[in-house]
Each structure stands twice: as structure tokens, then as C-alpha cells.
Amino acid sequence: MLFRSTSKVALRFSKILLGGTLATPRMQSHLWKVGDLNGDGLGDLALGGTLDSTTNTNIPVCILYGHAGTADGTLPDYDLSQLQGPNHVCFTSATAIGAPIVGVGDVNGDGVDDLAWGALSGTGVAREMRVFLGKKGAVMAANPALIVKGIFSSGSNGVYRIAAAGNFNGDATPTGKPLFDIAITNRVATGSPVTYDRVHVIPGSTKWSDASPVTIDLGSATDRQTNNVLTANLIDPASTPIFGASITGVGNVLADSGATQFDDLAIATYAQPQQVFLIKGRAWNGEVNLQFNSSCCTGSADEATSVRIVPDQSGLTGPNTFGQFVAPAEFDGEATPDLVIQHQSNSTGAPQGGLYWVRGKTLAANLGKQVALQATLLPGQTAIYSTPAGFMTRRWHLGVMAIGNFFDQPSGTTRTDLAMARNSKAPNGGPNTLTLIGDLLRPDSAIPAENSFLFGDVRSEEHTSELQSHLNLVCRLL
């Protein structure tokens, strides 16, 4: 590990001890970030969930609440031999739960983050999304405040994708607290009543309460109308793409002209043409359906309120996972949020995919249009390309994720800390690593100097000046 300073470095950790009914095979294989579910200012985690296909057993879900530790700086272990303890609560079920588990922000406006997970499994079985409300100073209730039915998936268990959509419809409580929304992917699968994949946005509501749960059946037009469900889909899915292969709430990239600002939603497809739809947030009442063509940008009025992002097409063969990971970021010092988009490519030629660093200001200037990220290798470089919307770092980095203010940047700093994986096939070799990047700033003029940005070995002395502009922490499995 490499730190700018070691004066405040201390190794502090808690062990998670499994026991009793929670000593379930593979429970430790799933760890989820879920926000602050008890309003104490500390981040919480979820552990477990999904169906263990090797034993056909349901894996419990545990919520691990963050805690400050003792006066001497030590942190007590999480003892999961019981379903509830000082800093955890666990849930078991006769059916599959926790596939996936997602922190969705504050969906009911009480000031505490909330949680959603997918449930149920089996071919032809309609799945459910269940939403649980966080509790100020208390553990999460065992019963959900919202159950969304009528979801189908081609996978073995749970819901294909659930995502925090931010405040996509721009609404708020009477006291001005935003009500965050939830997006889900509904697949074409055995038992599904439709012939196309679609993404639904479920607006948050102050009416949701675990004392009186609300149920929404997405197969019911009445339920969709009553609960203001927005649906987005392709109208010409001839290539059977997975519309909603990934969903990411990205903040307000496409700025709004009025007083109310809306968060936007990135929806990726898995098909040819692979692309990411950046859909502008909006207000609506009742049921709304947004429709898009596979090719840009005619055939629907909804195209005018979105931006189509496509990767470099050089040598592509078969479906590619462009947009499997999309992270909102701020890396150029402008007011508009930027995006980092992964392209895991089957290309036979350079650049063979990578991470596209896409400037928000370019996207905002192309509403209703397509932004093609044609990549041009920079002179003298082997891994850094320029694109019309920013730059691309070649394929050895993947799994990018925004991680909040990990490096404790000063209040008011807008730049984002990021985590990403780096595999051993990178130009300078080495083992697989996890790289954390903080205080990243790359204005337009800095693109040509990017050779050491991600691909330099940060252990060597030659990158000292690079580390002075942003802090990299590299964790290696030995």
C-alpha cells in the first residue's frame, strides 16, 4: 500500500464471525454497500443473500451497522452466531432473498437511507423487489414497506438489476427533502407477458411505511397508473438486446432550465449496437412509457430527451458489455458531473475496450443526439486514447465504482473518489490489484500527459509528481 503520509495510518478492522444458523456456505461471498441505514453518520454494509445453487439453500441476509469502536481505537468483532446483536441484524427466509441488495437512498423522505433487495427464484417464477426503510437509531424492520411484484428475470434467482435512481422525478417532501427513486430491469423470460426488456422507475413516496406495506404489481395497468410508474424500452429489439443490462443513477448531468433540477439515469444494453442511454430526469403523473430505437436518433419523441453513448466500434465481434459498470464522477473541474464507463470488449483490434472517461459538458451539449467515442491513440502512448468526449484508458482496468469521499477531501470539493480493478495483463505486468483514486483532476489540457495516470506502477519513484496531484492507494493480493 502507498500513502501520501503515514502519520495517521492505523490498521483497524472487525472480524465477521459466522455461527449457528448463519454459518451458511457462501454467505461470505456477497458483500453490498447500502448507505447509512440507522442515521448515525456511519456507513453500513449488507452481507449474504441469493440462492446457493450448489446446495439449493437460501442464504440469509445480515445488515452490519457501522460503529466507531472503543476509546482505545479497537473495533469489536461482529458475532453473527445470533440473528441480532449490538451492531447487526440478520434475516432468514424460506425463499431466496437478497439478489441483489441495493442501498437506494432516502425513498420516503424521513432523512434516513433505505434498502431494496430482490426475492424469489425459479424458471417462470415472477420475482419481487422488496424495499425496507432505514430507522433512525434503530435496526431495520423485518417486513418491507414496499413490495413490487410482476418482475421477470432470465437468471436463476432474484431481480436482474435494481438501482438507486436518485431524484429522477424531482419531487420532495413538504419540508424540501428529496424523495429518491428506484429503477429495476424487467426481462423477457419464461412466464413474462411481454416480448421486450424494459426498465421501470418507481418514484419514492412518503406513504410507504413498514406498518402498512404497499404492493405494486407491474403486470397491472391500474397499479402502474396509481403509483406513477415510468417504463422505458426499445421499440425495435430485433437483436434481442438486454435493455437494462446495467442501470445507474448518475446525478444531474443534463442540467434543467427551470428551478427544479432532476437526476438522470444511465441504461446500458448488451447487444449490437452496444450503447448507453443517458435519459433526462423529468416530472410526470400516472403511467408513462419512454420508447427508443436501437439505432439513433429517430422514431420517437423521447429521443430528444436523451443522449446515446456508443463506444469505439473498431473490430467488434459479437455482444459486448459496454456500460456494465457506469460511475458518476467529476474529473475535469467543470460544474457538470462526468461519467466513467467500462467497455469489456470482444474486439479483435485496438483499443479492445477499456474505461471511457466521458465529460459531462459534452453530453449536455448533445441532447437528442449520439456521442460516438471514437478512440485515437495519443502520440507516443500505448494505453491512452483521446475521444470526442474525453479520453479512454485501455482495457486493463475494469469494475469502476464511485466510492464517495473516501479520502476525506475538504468540504465543498466536488471531485469524486473512485475504485477500480486492474488486471495482471496491464502493460507493466504485476498481480491483479484494486486501485483507489482520490482528488482526480484532468482538465482538457491535461489529456496528453496521461501515460502514468492509471498504468504507471505507483510504487516507483518516477511517479512522485503524479501522486502529488492525486492520491492512489493500491491493494494487491499476495
Side-chain angles (χ1 to χ4, degrees):
M1 296 183 181
L2 175 64
F3 298 90
R4 179 180 291 157
S5 170
T6 60
S7 62
K8 296 183 179 180
V9 173
L11 184 60
R12 304 177 68 215
F13 64 93
S14 292
K15 291 184 291 184
I16 300 173
L17 308 175
L18 301 178
T21 59
L22 301 176
T24 304
R26 298 185 64 187
M27 181 168 179
Q28 65 271 31
S29 300
H30 302 96
L31 190 65
W32 317 83
K33 66 173 187 176
V34 294
D36 179 10
L37 299 177
N38 61 352
D40 62 357
L42 301 175
D44 306 320
L45 296 171
L47 176 71
T50 78
L51 177 75
D52 186 344
S53 58
T54 60
T55 62
N56 200 34
T57 57
N58 300 309
I59 302 174
V61 172
C62 290
I63 306 301
L64 309 181
Y65 292 98
H67 54 282
T70 60
D72 63 359
T74 60
L75 297 172
D77 295 335
Y78 291 92
D79 182 0
L80 304 187
S81 60
Q82 302 295 324
L83 291 179
Q84 187 166 337
N87 299 299
H88 78 272
V89 61
C90 299
F91 306 90
T92 60
S93 174
T95 57
I97 59 173
I101 304 174
V102 179
V104 292
D106 182 11
V107 298
N108 68 332
D110 65 355
V112 183
D113 290 342
D114 305 309
L115 174 78
W117 69 45
L120 304 181
S121 63
T123 301
V125 176
R127 315 298 169 79
E128 294 180 359
M129 178 183 72
R130 301 171 184 172
V131 177
F132 298 82
L133 302 181
K135 302 286 186 182
K136 181 73 172 178
V139 300
M140 192 174 79
N143 55 298
L146 173 70
I147 301 172
V148 179
K149 297 176 177 289
I151 306 170
F152 289 84
S153 177
S154 59
S156 60
N157 58 86
V159 177
Y160 188 82
R161 292 287 185 269
I162 300 175
N167 195 7
F168 186 75
N169 71 345
D171 62 350
T173 68
T175 59
K177 292 181 179 178
L179 293 167
F180 292 148
D181 309 319
I182 307 172
I184 56 175
T185 300
N186 205 346
R187 293 293 316 280
V188 172
T190 302
S192 175
V194 297
T195 56
Y196 53 84
D197 298 329
R198 59 262 193 232
V199 170
H200 302 288
V201 178
I202 313 293
S205 174
T206 57
K207 297 179 181 178
W208 295 348
S209 167
D210 48 44
S212 182
V214 172
T215 297
I216 300 174
D217 183 354
L218 293 176
S220 165
T222 299
D223 279 11
R224 297 194 303 269
Q225 176 71 21
T226 301
N227 294 280
N228 303 321
V229 175
L230 179 144
T231 301
N233 63 272
L234 297 179
I235 58 177
D236 60 339
S239 58
T240 61
I242 301 175
F243 183 79
S246 76
I247 318 171
T248 309
V250 296
N252 188 16
V253 178
L254 307 174
D256 304 282
S257 58
T260 301
Q261 297 295 300
F262 303 88
D263 290 335
D264 306 319
L265 194 64
I267 301 176
T269 64
Y270 179 79
Q272 288 181 311
Q274 59 275 314
Q275 52 199 317
V276 170
F277 295 79
L278 180 59
I279 300 177
K280 190 176 179 63
R282 66 205 65 204
W284 74 90
N285 287 302
E287 180 183 7
V288 172
N289 188 206
L290 306 182
Q291 297 183 326
F292 303 93
N293 279 337
S294 292
S295 58
C296 190
C297 294
T298 61
S300 168
D302 299 320
E303 300 278 0
T305 60
S306 67
V307 179
R308 194 80 58 100
I309 310 170
V310 299
D312 190 289
Q313 303 291 305
S314 303
L316 292 181
T317 58
N320 291 258
T321 54
F322 177 65
Q324 181 180 12
F325 294 93
V326 179
E330 174 51 53
F331 59 82
D332 61 4
E334 301 284 342
T336 305
D338 308 310
L339 301 181
V340 185
I341 304 175
Q342 177 184 318
H343 186 197
Q344 193 72 18
S345 172
N346 294 326
S347 171
T348 58
Q352 297 179 305
L355 291 179
Y356 288 91
W357 301 74
V358 184
R359 301 188 188 279
K361 63 181 181 182
T362 303
L363 298 175
N366 283 275
L367 191 64
K369 302 177 183 178
Q370 176 174 288
V371 174
L373 303 178
Q374 186 65 35
T376 302
L377 186 65
L378 291 168
Q381 308 299 320
T382 60
I384 306 297
Y385 294 70
S386 66
T387 75
F391 58 99
M392 190 195 76
T393 48
R394 202 171 169 185
R395 63 188 174 126
W396 298 281
H397 283 79
L398 63 156
V400 64
M401 178 183 295
I403 55 174
N405 190 11
F406 184 85
F407 289 108
D408 195 22
Q409 298 177 39
S411 176
T413 300
T414 59
R415 296 191 292 274
T416 310
D417 299 338
L418 299 169
M420 64 194 71
R422 173 186 182 275
N423 68 36
S424 58
K425 296 181 181 179
N428 62 345
N432 295 329
T433 64
L434 171 66
T435 300
L436 309 182
I437 299 179
D439 198 27
L440 174 64
L441 178 61
R442 289 296 177 273
D444 292 349
S445 60
I447 296 176
E450 290 296 332
N451 196 38
S452 64
F453 165 47
L454 289 177
F455 296 90
D457 183 349
V458 299
R459 294 173 298 178
S460 66
E461 294 298 327
E462 63 181 309
H463 299 303
T464 301
S465 60
E466 180 69 16
L467 291 171
Q468 290 174 348
S469 64
H470 69 282
L471 175 62
N472 279 7
L473 170 63
V474 176
C475 306
R476 287 182 166 87
L477 296 178
L478 302 178

